[in-house]
Amino acid sequence: MKHHKCRKIKGLLKTVIAIAVPSAAAYISGREDILKNIRNEFTSVGTVESTEASPNIREHIKDITSPEDMLCGSLILSEGYGIKPEIEQGEHFLELQPPLEMVSDTVGEVPYPNEWSGGGQIIRTTFGEYIGDSFFSLENGGQVNNKTDIPNEVLKNECWYLPNFSIDSLDEPLVLIYHTHTCESFEPFVRDEFDVNFNFRTTDETKNMVMVGNAIQAELEAQGIGVIHSTEIHDHPSYSGAYDRSRATIMPILEEYPSIRVVLDIHRDALGDDSCAYQPFIRVDGKEAAQVMIISCCDDGTMGMPNYMENFHFACNLQQKLETDFPGITRPILFDYRCYNQDLTNGSLLIEVGSHGNTLEQSQYSGQLIGKSLGELLKTMCKE
C-alpha cells in the first residue's frame, strides 16, 4: 500500500509540474497557444458505453473544457475512466506465439482479414481513476462502478469478504473458461486508423476470444491450476440467443467437473462509434497490455440470482489482486443489474479484455496477466 500511495503522489506531482511550468511561461509571455495546447493534452480522452457503441462520442469530447470535467463523473460515455500514467515493471511470463503468426486449422466461415484499409480513427489512451457518485475505490487498488440502487456504503462493506468458495486441492480442474461472444476480435497491430469495413468478428480462433482464453489458460496451467476451456462458438451464425447457447454449453461441464470454482466468460468491449475506436492500454515490463473490466451482475429480484453478492466478493478480490500486480490494468468493476449466467456458481464473472480498438497482441498479453494473477490468488486459497 505504501508503494501504491507513493506512486500516486509522484504521479500527482508530475501532473502539477507539467501544468504549472508551461502555464507560468504562457502567462508571462502571453502565449495563448501554449495554454490551448495544455488544455488539449487533458481533453483528448473520452469514455464510452460498456458493451454498446455510443454515437455521440465526438460531441462529448468537444464539450470537455478542463481536466476536472473528466474526473467528476459527468462525462461518462461508458462506465468510467480518466487518465493514468503508463506503468512499467519487471515480470516474467510464458513466451506465447504472436497471434498474427498463428495459422489456424479451423478458420471457419468468417476468416480474419489479411488486407486492411482505414476510415476510422483509433484513439490510444489509458483510462484511470474516476470520481463520481457511482464510483468508489477499493482498499488495495481499483474501483467499483455501482449502477444499482444498493448504497455504496453497503458494497464497501461487502468488498472486504473473501471469495465464498474453498479450494481443497489443485489436482482437479478449478477454472472454466468459455466465450459467449466467441467471435469478437481485435485490431491486427498498432496503427492510426481502423478498417471501417471490418466488423471485428471472426471465426478464426487464433484471432478471436479463444486466443485470449488460451493465454489465460496457459498462465494458469503453468502454475499447476487445472483449466477447462470451452472453445465453442455461440454467436455465429446467429448473435441473438448467445447467452442461452453458452449456458447450455457450460452446464454439462459444471456437472462433470464439480471441482470447478471459477467460471470466466471472456469477452472484449466495444468502446467507440462508427468513426472512432478507443485503444485503452498500459505497459507492463515494457510491453503493451489492453486494460480490462470485470462485470459482476446484480439481481433486481427478477433474475433468479439470489447469491449475486458472492460473485461480487470474488470480483473485488480479483480486481485488487490485478491492481496490486499490475497497477492500472483494470477499469472499474461494473456492478449492474444483469445476469450473464452468473447464477450458476459463486465464482462466476464476465471479463472484458480490451476493446475492439486494442490489438491482438495487447489482448493476448492481458490474458496472460489475468491468468498469472488469478492463479496466484487461487493458490493462496488452497487448503493443501
Side-chain angles (χ1 to χ4, degrees):
M1 281 300 298
K2 290 182 179 179
H3 177 73
H4 184 64
K5 291 179 180 178
C6 288
R7 182 174 55 80
K8 285 191 173 182
I9 292 171
K10 289 179 181 178
L12 179 60
L13 287 174
K14 288 181 181 179
T15 302
V16 171
I17 292 171
I19 298 174
V21 173
S23 297
Y27 178 79
I28 294 171
S29 62
R31 291 284 302 280
E32 289 296 325
D33 58 327
I34 296 179
L35 291 175
K36 182 178 180 180
N37 288 337
I38 296 170
R39 182 178 296 114
N40 288 340
E41 284 290 323
F42 287 88
T43 59
S44 61
V45 179
T47 54
V48 283
E49 182 58 36
S50 167
T51 52
E52 300 290 338
S54 169
N56 300 313
I57 289 177
R58 291 192 179 278
E59 294 304 316
H60 281 276
I61 294 175
K62 291 177 183 178
D63 291 339
I64 300 175
T65 58
S66 72
E68 289 78 11
D69 286 335
M70 291 192 299
L71 301 176
C72 70
S74 62
L75 291 172
I76 299 174
L77 310 183
S78 174
E79 311 299 341
Y81 319 119
I83 297 175
K84 199 164 190 173
E86 294 170 353
I87 306 299
E88 293 193 12
Q89 63 185 59
E91 288 289 349
H92 177 70
F93 300 95
L94 297 175
E95 290 292 331
L96 300 183
Q97 185 178 12
L100 279 179
E101 296 179 8
M102 296 181 188
V103 179
S104 175
D105 295 329
T106 55
V107 172
E109 297 178 3
V110 186
Y112 191 74
N114 52 28
E115 294 182 0
W116 301 93
S117 60
Q121 180 187 11
I122 294 178
I123 301 175
R124 285 167 54 82
T125 189
T126 299
F127 295 136
E129 294 183 353
Y130 241 82
I131 300 170
D133 292 341
S134 69
F135 297 93
F136 65 88
S137 297
L138 298 172
E139 179 67 22
N140 293 319
Q143 292 181 287
V144 174
N145 183 8
N146 178 18
K147 306 296 286 186
T148 74
D149 295 329
I150 300 173
N152 285 350
E153 292 304 316
V154 173
L155 294 183
K156 287 179 182 178
N157 291 330
E158 292 288 341
C159 72
W160 287 97
Y161 286 95
L162 294 174
N164 297 74
F165 53 83
S166 61
I167 298 174
D168 297 323
S169 172
L170 299 178
D171 295 334
E172 299 292 331
L174 292 177
V175 179
L176 169 60
I177 299 170
Y178 74 105
H179 314 279
T180 295
H181 295 156
T182 320
C183 295
E184 290 175 331
S185 189
F186 304 91
E187 275 288 290
F189 39 73
V190 175
R191 56 181 182 157
D192 295 330
E193 293 187 342
F194 67 87
D195 188 341
V196 294
N197 296 312
F198 178 44
N199 68 352
F200 295 95
R201 304 183 64 76
T202 179
T203 51
D204 183 345
E205 57 184 39
T206 68
K207 309 294 189 297
N208 62 22
M209 299 316 301
V210 172
M211 175 270 296
V212 180
N214 285 338
I216 299 173
Q217 178 181 4
E219 289 292 339
L220 286 171
E221 291 181 339
Q223 298 183 62
I225 306 294
V227 181
I228 303 296
H229 183 193
S230 171
T231 61
E232 190 77 19
I233 291 178
H234 302 109
D235 56 339
H236 179 81
S238 174
Y239 188 85
S240 177
Y243 281 97
D244 292 334
R245 288 189 289 275
S246 65
R247 186 182 186 90
T249 292
I250 65 175
M251 286 184 69
I253 298 175
L254 292 174
E255 292 177 2
E256 183 177 356
Y257 299 97
S259 59
I260 290 174
R261 295 291 181 266
V262 173
V263 180
L264 302 180
D265 189 1
I266 305 299
H267 293 240
R268 64 113 173 98
D269 214 339
L271 306 181
D273 62 10
D274 291 339
S275 62
C276 68
Y278 283 81
Q279 187 180 110
F281 72 99
I282 65 166
R283 288 193 178 96
V284 176
D285 197 20
K287 185 176 178 180
E288 292 185 0
Q291 288 183 293
V292 305
M293 180 174 70
I294 297 171
I295 298 180
S296 182
C297 299
C298 181
D299 192 346
D300 61 1
T302 66
M303 301 178 187
M305 195 168 56
N307 298 321
Y308 63 87
M309 198 63 78
E310 296 182 356
N311 289 324
F312 180 69
H313 297 161
F314 176 49
C316 292
N317 277 265
L318 180 57
Q319 177 88 342
Q320 292 178 96
K321 173 61 174 167
L322 283 165
E323 279 296 316
T324 298
D325 293 344
F326 316 109
I329 186 66
T330 68
R331 295 154 56 199
I333 294 170
L334 176 60
F335 185 67
D336 199 1
Y337 293 120
R338 309 182 185 201
C339 184
Y340 297 157
N341 294 326
Q342 292 187 11
D343 59 310
L344 295 179
T345 76
N346 56 5
S348 294
L349 298 174
L350 187 152
I351 303 181
E352 305 270 19
V353 180
S355 182
H356 66 303
N358 284 103
T359 69
L360 292 164
E361 282 202 47
Q362 289 171 346
S363 304
Q364 181 190 53
Y365 191 35
S366 290
Q368 291 187 264
L369 305 186
I370 293 168
K372 188 173 191 303
S373 291
L374 175 59
E376 292 175 355
L377 177 63
L378 294 177
K379 288 168 74 174
T380 65
M381 297 171 59
C382 184
K383 296 178 180 179
E384 287 186 343

